[in-house]
Amino acid sequence: MKAEYDAILFDAGGVFLIPDPAVLAPTLAYYGAGSDHSLYVRAHYGAMAAKSRAGGGESDWDDYNRAYVAFAGVPDHEVDAAAFVLQRTRHAHLWRAPLVGSVEALRVLNERNVPIGVVSNASGQIAEILQRSAICQVGDGALASVRCIIDSDVVGVAKPDPKIFEHALPFFEGIDRSRIAYVGDSVTMDVEGSTAAGLIPVLVDPFNDAADLVDCRRISSLLDLL
Ligand SMILES: [Mg+2]
């Protein structure tokens, strides 16, 4: 059977890592949020869909924050206060809690010799965090191996601008971009950006939040790619 994709590029936030519930759950509990960390996985995806539905770009997280705290269990009358604190607590370096299945999926892709890489809207920190959170590193090492980790802050262009993908494609020379998947969790940044770049968009949407927003392939976990 011919593989569906000749190579796969991945977003990092919401694909390998989410904002760390070990920090956010105690912070939001003050406003009535629940403490079960699975609630915070749910909250991330529900909030991403709310952000995409509102058309929010990389700098606009208001809809995300409000939906996130509501999914985490904050009651309506405390949503504004909790979202205010979330905006000031969640920062780039807290996107560090690994999602179940992501490491396993990368390992299997390595075993199958599928070329893989990372393209992330980040703050100059993402390669370091992917290493410390035991997800992957560029080239050979103890973790899953990727060809490149493109950080928007380092290259100076961010999704949804399709030009960010031009920084990754040289690592996949000889592979037609129309055969390269880009796996992300944002409709507005990932699906739209990768489509504009001529790649195949795949949306991580484990709770079916975005069924009405896109007509591309949606997966519930990276394990679905195998
Ligand atoms: Mg993301």
Side-chain angles (χ1 to χ4, degrees):
M1 193 181 88
K2 189 164 161 55
E4 248 171 308
Y5 315 114
D6 292 343
I8 306 178
L9 289 169
F10 294 93
D11 179 22
V15 174
F16 301 141
L17 305 164
I18 55 166
D20 197 344
V23 175
L24 298 179
T27 303
L28 296 177
Y30 179 73
Y31 301 96
S35 59
D36 182 351
H37 287 193
S38 66
L39 211 51
Y40 292 79
V41 178
R42 175 71 195 96
H44 170 74
Y45 291 103
M48 284 305 292
K51 182 179 191 307
S52 288
R53 199 162 269 122
E58 183 53 64
S59 60
D60 180 6
W61 291 82
D62 287 354
D63 294 286
Y64 178 97
N65 292 331
R66 294 177 53 81
Y68 185 99
V69 301
F71 273 106
V74 170
D76 288 350
H77 69 279
E78 292 285 31
V79 160
D80 286 344
F84 177 88
V85 168
L86 176 62
Q87 175 63 28
R88 281 149 188 79
T89 306
R90 190 201 63 243
H91 53 75
H93 290 258
L94 283 190
W95 291 75
R96 65 188 190 189
L99 285 158
V100 174
S102 52
V103 171
E104 187 189 344
L106 294 186
R107 290 288 194 187
V108 174
L109 291 169
N110 274 179
E111 282 165 19
R112 295 181 186 174
N113 292 313
V114 177
I116 56 176
V118 178
V119 176
S120 171
N121 279 6
S123 304
Q125 89 295 5
I126 196 62
E128 176 198 334
I129 289 187
L130 287 171
Q131 175 132 42
R132 191 180 292 106
S133 290
I135 306 289
C136 62
Q137 82 269 307
V138 173
D140 293 334
L143 307 173
S145 171
V146 295
R147 292 191 179 191
C148 62
I149 298 176
I150 307 300
D151 183 312
S152 62
D153 193 63
V154 174
V155 299
V157 56
K159 300 173 291 182
D161 188 333
K163 287 198 283 293
I164 190 171
F165 295 100
E166 303 304 327
H167 293 275
L169 291 172
F171 294 92
F172 298 83
E173 219 185 314
I175 302 175
D176 195 287
R177 64 176 71 209
S178 69
R179 297 279 309 158
I180 302 176
Y182 183 66
V183 180
D185 65 329
S186 164
V187 175
T188 48
M189 293 184 284
D190 301 332
V191 173
E192 291 178 12
S194 61
T195 300
L199 309 177
I200 308 166
V202 176
L203 184 72
V204 181
D205 185 25
F207 301 95
N208 264 320
D209 294 306
D212 60 318
L213 289 175
V214 290
D215 53 13
C216 70
R217 183 180 180 191
R218 293 178 299 117
I219 58 175
S220 57
S221 147
L222 296 193
L223 298 173
D224 293 354
L225 292 169
L226 307 179

